[in-house]
Amino acid sequence: MAGDAVDAAAHYWAFISYSHKDAAFGQRLHRRLESYYVPRRLVGRTTRQGVVPRRLAPIFLDREELPAAADLSTEVRAALARSRSLIVVCSPDGAASPWVSREVELFRSLHPDRPIFAAIRNGDPAQSFPAALYGNGPAGERLEPLAADFRPGRDGNDLGRLKLIAGIAGLGLDELSQRDAQRYRQRVTAITVISLIAVLAMAGLTLAALRARKEADRQRSEAEGLVEYMLTDLRDRLKGVGRLDVMTAVNQRALNYYRDQDLASLPVDSLGRRARILHAMGADDEDRDDYDGALKKFLEAKRTTAALLAAAPNDPQRIFDHAQSEYWVASVDTHRRQFESAIEGMQRYAALAHRLVAIDPQNPKWQMEAGYAASNLGTIEIRDAYDPVKANLNFSIALQYFQAALRSKPGNTEIIDDIADGYSWLCTSQRALGHYDEARASCLREASLLQGLLSKDPKNAEDARDILPSAIGLARIDLKQGRIADAKRRLTKAFADGVRLSAADPEDHYFAQEVIAIGLFLIDAIIQGGKPDVGQTETILSWCQTAAAKGDQEVMDYCAVDRARVAAATGHPDVSAIDYLKQNHARLDTIRHSQRWGIDFSQICSQLHCSTEQVSRGISVTKH
């Protein structure tokens, strides 16, 4: 019988043919077909397709079966020769794909009596069926293949899958439908319970994966779902409550999952996910000022993402992953003040972001990447090259991209947070240009957006921290426009809030430096308002002795300047400040625009007479 002939020659129950643009649908279909369990009463029945098994596995999908094939055409021919049936993913893209048509023609020539099924993803059959898919009837008439229509309002996902399973196994659709409905209800209940256990079961699943290849495939799918959760939802929640220490432990646990496996045999998605873990861990190292550790992780991730992109240069996900690697390496260069290489890296990042927008101009994720690229270039221009004109243009472009993305995803809190950051940088460039009214409007817009986010989630420590630097921006404008009382009020509250938030996460040195800066700007405002209170300024200046301050040159410079100012204003000389300014006067004389806060230390040092004993007297206060 025909079924016996098929059993003797075939290895795969089906071969799934699809175009590159239908890859996600093809992969999802492959998983759903292989994971289906045939009702026990039908297992063992002999049909025209062979003896019905418990599961219709294996089903051939080139990406799953041939991760590193040297000769794809030979491998595909071999797989088609050993397949009981052919499934063609039908869409306008599939109809236009010469590769899909060749696979159909090859299968039909090898197996003229074996079935071909159409899985309609989108588009009408007339637009979606490859020409090679049509057969000829006894009278030469054109025949359409049996089709499962996955489009909304047609068969849908569940019925479409059952139609394919029935055809592959040679069973009647009605024999599967009733049983499948009952099993679906049972599966929903089981999945609900299993999902609660999955997090605790990750370590056990990983160990079990090493024992058997078949079991490993199932467990990898479940375990990597947990890793993705760690990289997204769990990480965001930990950042939201300011727990950098726990976040690092979570990332290390995820990385250990991959360390126990043979990287050479991992699928592409797993390698990409591992690179994203390295990005996250390196970012945490950056937050602790561990730039050596961060760079090591970023470079390892970059080697992976570069290799994956070279293998598929037009794959958006691979372009995106490699763009992140370029950004993070350039970020370390920026922190180390290696600006030439930082600019080159950011330009490579921007070029990759623009490629993503060119591929899909309406994709909000790609719009955000283009916005980040413009913002990063603007940041280097304002902080390092001090070109506020170019910076202002790039910050305006970044906001346009961010706002376009928000129109696609209204109310998205992450995009709103990025828009707020964009207004912060726009405020900085406008202030540098002397456009104080415009700068004030931008800073107020930033504060309003951040306050809105915080009101929705008052316990979100990240939003609470983000809102504090806006006080610096507004206070600096207040000081420029003579609103000294307003500046003191803003900075006093911001400093108190910063001290409280920093105590909750003492590992975050970068935020601690922001708190010190708020205090130092507050001292500027206090001095401009009259004779300072020694007790109040001493409390603020005590932060200059912390590890966070000693790890940052700009913070140390600013601390010494304000200690000298307070000493002159109160008549209590500060010997350590005098010594620091004398020893560093040659360097300070050259700094006309400091990297983080844009302070003109050369002007201040001139006023303080940093190279003479006059540093302790005759000081005038500079308004920043």
Side-chain angles (χ1 to χ4, degrees), residues 224-282:
E224 292 195 352
L226 295 172
V227 169
E228 195 67 31
Y229 169 74
M230 290 179 177
L231 284 172
T232 53
D233 294 349
L234 181 57
R235 179 176 174 81
D236 289 343
R237 291 177 185 178
L238 291 172
K239 287 177 67 178
V241 297
R243 290 305 306 271
L244 185 61
D245 55 336
V246 179
M247 204 159 48
T248 300
V250 167
N251 290 337
Q252 187 62 54
R253 180 67 176 272
L255 188 62
N256 288 343
Y257 167 72
Y258 290 106
R259 183 172 291 129
D260 293 336
Q261 302 186 51
D262 178 10
L263 297 182
S265 65
L266 282 179
V268 167
D269 286 348
S270 299
L271 290 171
R273 191 174 287 113
R274 177 178 177 272
R276 292 195 292 277
I277 294 173
L278 289 168
H279 291 157
M281 296 185 71

Side-chain angles (χ1 to χ4, degrees), residues 291-614:
Y291 300 128
D292 289 338
L295 184 60
K296 181 178 179 181
K297 294 178 179 67
F298 294 151
L299 290 176
E300 183 178 351
K302 183 177 177 180
R303 285 191 292 271
T304 298
T305 57
L308 295 177
L309 180 59
N314 295 316
D315 185 307
Q317 184 60 50
R318 300 194 193 185
I319 295 172
F320 173 80
D321 286 345
H322 191 55
Q324 306 315 296
S325 294
E326 293 285 10
Y327 164 77
W328 284 116
V329 172
S331 176
V332 173
D333 289 336
T334 301
H335 282 296
R336 288 176 161 173
R337 303 185 68 81
Q338 297 170 348
F339 300 127
E340 184 175 346
S341 57
I343 290 173
E344 291 174 355
M346 288 299 183
Q347 288 174 339
R348 289 193 294 271
Y349 166 50
L352 291 165
H354 293 153
R355 282 176 61 186
L356 290 170
V357 173
I359 291 172
D360 187 357
Q362 301 306 314
N363 186 320
K365 185 175 182 180
W366 304 157
Q367 290 170 333
M368 292 300 294
E369 283 305 302
Y372 294 146
S375 181
N376 289 331
L377 287 171
T379 301
I380 295 175
E381 288 160 353
I382 192 67
R383 289 171 62 170
D384 308 312
Y386 194 49
D387 187 339
V389 174
K390 287 184 179 178
N392 193 65
L393 175 60
N394 270 313
F395 294 143
S396 299
I397 292 171
L399 276 170
Q400 291 173 10
Y401 277 117
F402 294 157
Q403 288 161 345
L406 188 62
R407 287 194 291 272
S408 298
K409 302 177 72 173
N412 184 280
T413 56
E414 292 182 2
I415 298 177
I416 292 173
D417 188 65
D418 286 323
I419 290 175
D421 189 60
Y423 276 112
S424 174
W425 282 111
L426 188 63
C427 173
T428 299
S429 63
Q430 289 168 335
R431 188 181 69 246
L433 291 168
H435 302 162
Y436 298 123
D437 289 339
E438 293 178 10
R440 179 180 295 278
S442 295
C443 273
L444 288 172
R445 182 61 177 152
E446 173 206 7
S448 174
L449 290 170
L450 291 174
Q451 193 61 55
L453 293 176
L454 191 59
S455 66
K456 294 178 182 178
D457 186 6
K459 295 182 180 180
N460 190 313
E462 186 175 15
D463 286 344
R465 289 195 301 266
D466 286 348
I467 204 170
L468 298 183
S470 67
I472 296 179
L474 285 166
R476 296 180 74 177
I477 298 169
D478 287 335
L479 293 176
K480 284 288 187 181
Q481 295 186 320
R483 297 185 177 94
I484 297 173
D486 289 342
K488 288 173 64 176
R489 174 181 52 80
R490 293 184 197 279
L491 293 168
T492 299
K493 181 180 185 304
F495 184 69
D497 290 342
V499 170
R500 173 177 53 80
L501 291 167
S502 185
D505 189 7
E507 292 293 317
D508 192 340
H509 288 177
Y510 188 85
F511 178 65
Q513 291 161 6
E514 290 286 345
V515 175
I516 296 170
I518 294 171
L520 295 173
F521 280 111
L522 175 56
I523 287 177
D524 291 353
I526 291 171
I527 293 174
Q528 290 191 44
K531 185 174 181 178
D533 178 273
V534 175
Q536 182 184 19
T537 56
E538 185 58 35
T539 298
I540 296 171
L541 289 171
S542 66
W543 275 69
C544 289
Q545 305 306 314
T546 64
K550 294 176 181 178
D552 186 280
Q553 187 70 64
E554 186 169 351
V555 173
M556 292 163 56
D557 291 344
Y558 200 2
C559 284
V561 163
D562 269 4
R563 287 204 311 270
R565 283 175 166 161
V566 170
T570 60
H572 296 86
D574 187 318
V575 176
S576 63
I578 294 171
D579 289 343
Y580 183 95
L581 294 177
K582 285 181 182 179
Q583 293 168 8
N584 292 276
H585 76 89
R587 177 176 57 80
L588 293 171
D589 278 343
T590 67
I591 301 176
R592 291 176 172 78
H593 188 84
S594 67
Q595 185 189 23
R596 188 175 305 160
W597 298 299
I599 300 172
D600 188 344
F601 282 118
S602 64
Q603 181 185 15
I604 297 172
C605 202
S606 175
Q607 293 170 344
L608 294 178
H609 307 287
C610 292
S611 62
T612 74
E613 291 294 343
Q614 297 173 8

Side-chain angles (χ1 to χ4, degrees), residues 171-234:
L171 297 169
L173 178 61
D174 57 342
E175 294 181 286
L176 299 178
S177 299
Q178 184 176 3
R179 175 61 176 165
D180 194 68
Q182 178 183 356
R183 284 171 50 187
Y184 176 77
R185 290 191 296 271
Q186 295 171 343
R187 187 178 299 114
V188 169
T189 301
I191 288 175
T192 302
V193 175
I194 291 172
S195 64
L196 296 176
I197 301 171
V199 173
L200 298 176
M202 179 177 176
L205 291 175
T206 304
L207 291 174
L210 301 174
R211 297 171 184 164
R213 173 76 180 242
K214 183 177 180 180
E215 185 67 10
D217 292 339
R218 182 181 69 83
Q219 292 189 5
R220 175 176 291 147
S221 176
E222 294 186 10
E224 292 195 352
L226 295 172
V227 169
E228 195 67 31
Y229 169 74
M230 290 179 177
L231 284 172
T232 53
D233 294 349
L234 181 57

